Amino acid sequence: MVLTVIERNGDGTPTAESAEVLAAARDLAEQLGVPVAAVAVGDAGDLPDDLAKRGVAQLHLLQHALLADGSPSCTGEALSQLVAAQRPAAVLAPGTDRSTEAMAWAAAELGVPLATACTEIRPGIRPGEPWEVTRERSGGILLEDAVLDAPIRLATVRPGAPVPSETAAAHEVTVHVLVPDLDASVPRARLVDRRPRAAGMTLTTAPVVVAGGRGVGGADGDAVLEELAGLVGGAVGCSRVATNNGWRPHADQVGLTGTRISPDLYVACGISGATQHWVGCMNARSILAVNTDPEAPMVTRATWAVIGDVHEVLPAVIAELRRRSGR
Amino acid sequence: MDVLVCVKRVPAVGSEILLTADATAIDTRHLGFTIGPHEECAVEEAVRIAERTGGSAGVLTVGPPEADEQLRYAMSMGADHAVRVDDPVADPDPETTAAAITAALRGLPPDVVLFGEASADAGHAQVGFRVACALRRPVVGGVKGIGLDGDRVTLRCDAPDGVEVHEAPLPAVAAVLEGLNLPRYPTIKGRLRAKKATVRVIAPDLSTGRLRTLRLRHRPEARAETVVLGRGAAAAPAVVDVLADLGMVR
């Protein structure tokens, strides 16, 4: 079987990332001629009906008080016990932080390799042959083809895989409950507080992100970015240069070690476009670069570019916007 | 309080990455090396904790002798001792790296072991959790705030829908993210001290893991030529035309 790790929304349904993994698992199971199974934490709820439409034959539910707060190490330990008992050909999980952590723990318990951030999984042609995966490196700027040589193949799937629209022929999903044996004497981290984020536009939800880098010149230079973002209904971001100099908080950083965004329009102001930054904005639908250097990588990769100083170009754009919208 | 940070020597890539002729690695002939931003913050945090509590801040890497350069950089930031687990492979697989670190840690009993969330090059994002599992220690990933309270540590993380605070008994393991702090620049004095410091080298028996790189490839990029809208302030009307086409002029 191909075992699929399901993350659940607050209402118990599979998350969007889990739906993507289920699609990948179905594809892989078809190639192998084996059934698709799923594993989730908690009660069944409507999950069996939902999973039946996605081609799942078996649902394993992990139930234990220590699993309630989503601890990746407890989930990983429970998962390793299920995998050791079921011996699936492969275990696929969403490439989210939490599932990657749980899979890492499970892989360590089982003594097997784990391929993270996979975009493709190719089983060996004959049984027992090593599999191959393609995974993302350096935030996705590079792809790596790798051999995954293990009796049970553990992999996490990079979010964004296509989900087929057609549903599988509905059939009965058998439900199995596993109460894992989690050693109470092992020291564990415990969730003690959870605070919801204040509502409002964030870098990941904004349709437009106006971001500044070295060319903005300092914290005082940000007023034009804020003003332009306000006029077009966007959020303000920045490059690592800006956060390292203390011009803006790290929460505003777009990049490999900051936030990865996919707005309709990314306005890159005075940002040269080093790899570390590029992987954070390369999924934008369109990019407008404002830069004094016409050869800057951000300029040559942008949809549109204006060659010039941020502090000349942006005030003129703001004035023109105000003139046209009468504000 | 004794803190140990695990770091990795990675190529300092600019805007374009070149691959070796056999495409199994990044061509580093014209590149410098560094540690990733997450790890730089981990070193800074370890140094701050050691300063505050009168403990030690160690740094550890798995790699060839060249990786001493990164250990010395961490020491120039204030780390007070360094260990290198000798491995001729510059970019070992995550199973091997975790086994090497686990072996090294059995002889070192730090209260807190810090990792970066993922290395800046391979990004396997699993070594910290593998080590915690092998040592049966509590572990939290995605950490953006660390607080110490007697024999416990509190770890603040960004969750998809808000902020979570975890508490763990010591000794504990954490994988941290950039933004945890603003790392300092090494001082001249720090650099001189680090140059003269000793790196302890250990060489445990290591077997190779079963995830092996075959080749690296560039992601196919399909972008049309850039349309230059103009120069300086004179480009403003053309920029606003673009914004209007996108429905962003209100």
Side-chain angles (χ1 to χ4, degrees):
Chain A
M1 75 167 76
V2 174
L3 183 64
T4 315
V5 176
I6 306 292
E7 286 182 13
R8 303 171 79 169
N9 295 312
D11 62 0
T13 55
T15 59
E17 291 89 348
S18 302
E20 291 168 5
V21 178
L22 275 167
R26 244 173 80 189
D27 188 39
L28 181 60
E30 255 168 47
Q31 293 179 55
L32 295 168
V34 298
V36 177
V39 53
V41 171
D43 294 325
D46 297 329
L47 209 47
D49 290 342
D50 187 304
L51 294 178
K53 288 178 243 154
R54 301 177 196 269
V56 172
Q58 284 172 33
L59 170 62
H60 297 270
L61 293 169
L62 303 175
Q63 297 179 350
H64 195 291
L66 283 174
L67 298 174
D69 71 10
S71 152
S73 59
C74 293
T75 310
E77 195 176 333
L79 183 61
S80 72
Q81 290 172 17
L82 176 69
V83 170
Q86 298 289 329
R87 311 287 304 172
V91 185
L92 304 191
T96 58
D97 294 343
R98 281 299 152 81
S99 284
T100 302
E101 291 167 1
M103 288 286 276
W105 187 285
E109 291 273 13
L110 293 161
V112 295
L114 163 66
T116 56
C118 293
T119 57
E120 232 183 277
I121 298 165
R122 297 177 292 275
I125 294 161
R126 282 176 294 275
E129 262 186 11
W131 291 18
E132 270 186 41
V133 298
T134 299
R135 58 179 301 273
E136 290 191 344
R137 276 172 76 103
S138 305
I141 201 92
L142 287 179
L143 297 175
E144 170 185 2
D145 294 325
V147 170
L148 180 59
D149 184 5
I152 300 172
R153 297 84 178 179
L154 269 56
T156 69
V157 176
R158 175 86 187 97
V163 179
S165 53
E166 88 280 13
T167 52
H171 56 275
E172 241 356 67
V173 175
T174 59
V175 179
H176 312 263
V177 173
L178 174 71
V179 178
D181 177 20
L182 300 180
D183 187 349
S185 68
V186 172
R188 295 180 195 280
R190 199 165 56 84
L191 180 68
V192 290
D193 194 14
R194 183 178 267 157
R195 284 167 244 150
R197 184 165 293 121
M201 200 172 358
T202 66
L203 278 181
T204 45
T205 60
V208 192
V209 173
V210 181
R214 195 184 298 279
V216 171
D220 320 339
D222 281 10
V224 283
L225 307 178
E226 302 277 358
E227 193 176 356
L228 178 58
L231 284 170
V232 296
V236 175
C238 65
S239 72
R240 190 156 176 260
V241 170
T243 52
N244 271 4
N245 284 302
W247 301 345
R248 294 197 73 86
H250 183 268
D252 291 348
Q253 189 194 111
V254 173
L256 177 63
T257 53
T259 306
R260 301 175 67 175
I261 58 171
S262 48
D264 295 332
L265 174 65
Y266 184 60
V267 186
C269 306
I271 297 176
S272 67
T275 305
Q276 136 85 234
H277 185 79
W278 177 249
V279 297
C281 68
M282 65 185 182
N283 291 326
R285 289 236 179 86
S286 59
I287 295 176
L288 167 63
V290 179
N291 207 300
T292 50
D293 176 8
E295 302 301 321
M298 185 59 83
V299 171
T300 58
R301 286 164 160 169
T303 324
W304 304 283
V306 175
I307 310 306
D309 187 280
V310 172
H311 294 294
E312 283 172 25
V313 177
L314 290 200
V317 170
I318 289 164
E320 178 68 11
L321 264 173
R322 288 196 186 283
R323 192 184 66 76
R324 285 206 211 171
S325 59
R327 285 192 290 171
Chain B
M1 178 92 44
D2 297 324
V3 187
L4 186 88
V5 185
C6 298
V7 301
K8 182 180 181 185
R9 173 181 167 91
V10 295
V13 294
S15 55
E16 206 178 333
I17 298 179
L18 299 176
L19 301 177
T20 55
D22 66 356
T24 57
I26 292 174
D27 182 350
T28 57
R29 282 176 302 173
H30 306 293
L31 293 180
F33 288 83
T34 184
I35 59 174
H38 299 316
E39 291 166 8
E40 218 175 292
C41 288
V43 172
E44 174 65 33
E45 196 70 12
V47 171
R48 287 186 193 183
I49 292 170
E51 284 169 352
R52 212 161 61 225
T53 63
S56 72
V59 59
L60 182 150
T61 196
V62 181
E66 291 79 12
D68 285 356
E69 180 194 347
Q70 279 58 51
L71 295 175
R72 289 190 197 284
Y73 181 79
M75 286 195 280
S76 73
M77 287 176 69
D80 48 51
H81 64 280
V83 180
R84 180 168 59 81
V85 185
D86 191 44
D87 187 337
V89 181
D91 182 20
D93 68 89
E95 273 182 287
T96 304
T97 307
I101 294 171
T102 304
L105 284 175
R106 291 202 197 276
L108 294 164
D111 300 298
V112 178
V113 181
L114 297 180
F115 290 86
E117 179 76 0
S119 61
D121 58 348
H124 292 294
Q126 56 184 265
V127 171
F129 273 72
R130 281 183 178 274
V131 170
C133 177
L135 296 173
R136 311 317 275 178
R137 289 196 187 167
V139 57
V140 176
V143 170
K144 277 201 155 174
I146 299 180
L148 296 165
D149 177 20
D151 58 354
R152 308 188 75 77
V153 59
T154 55
L155 302 156
R156 187 172 52 77
C157 313
D158 284 343
D161 52 353
V163 172
E164 290 182 349
V165 181
H166 301 262
E167 195 179 84
L170 296 174
V173 177
V176 308
L177 288 170
E178 190 186 32
L180 173 66
N181 52 43
L182 198 53
R184 70 193 72 187
Y185 287 105
T187 59
I188 301 278
K189 208 175 133 196
R191 284 189 189 278
L192 289 173
R193 197 177 52 83
K195 209 172 156 186
K196 283 182 278 183
T198 320
V199 171
R200 194 158 67 85
V201 179
I202 56 173
D205 279 337
L206 297 174
S207 55
T208 309
R210 288 157 296 166
L211 179 66
R212 291 189 307 274
T213 304
L214 287 173
R215 72 192 77 82
L216 304 184
R217 292 187 274 136
H218 286 280
R219 168 191 290 276
E221 237 181 293
R223 262 188 208 271
E225 283 286 289
T226 304
V227 176
V228 177
L229 299 173
R231 288 181 172 266
V239 170
V240 178
D241 287 345
V242 164
L243 295 174
D245 284 347
L246 293 169
M248 288 167 185
V249 178
R250 298 174 298 174

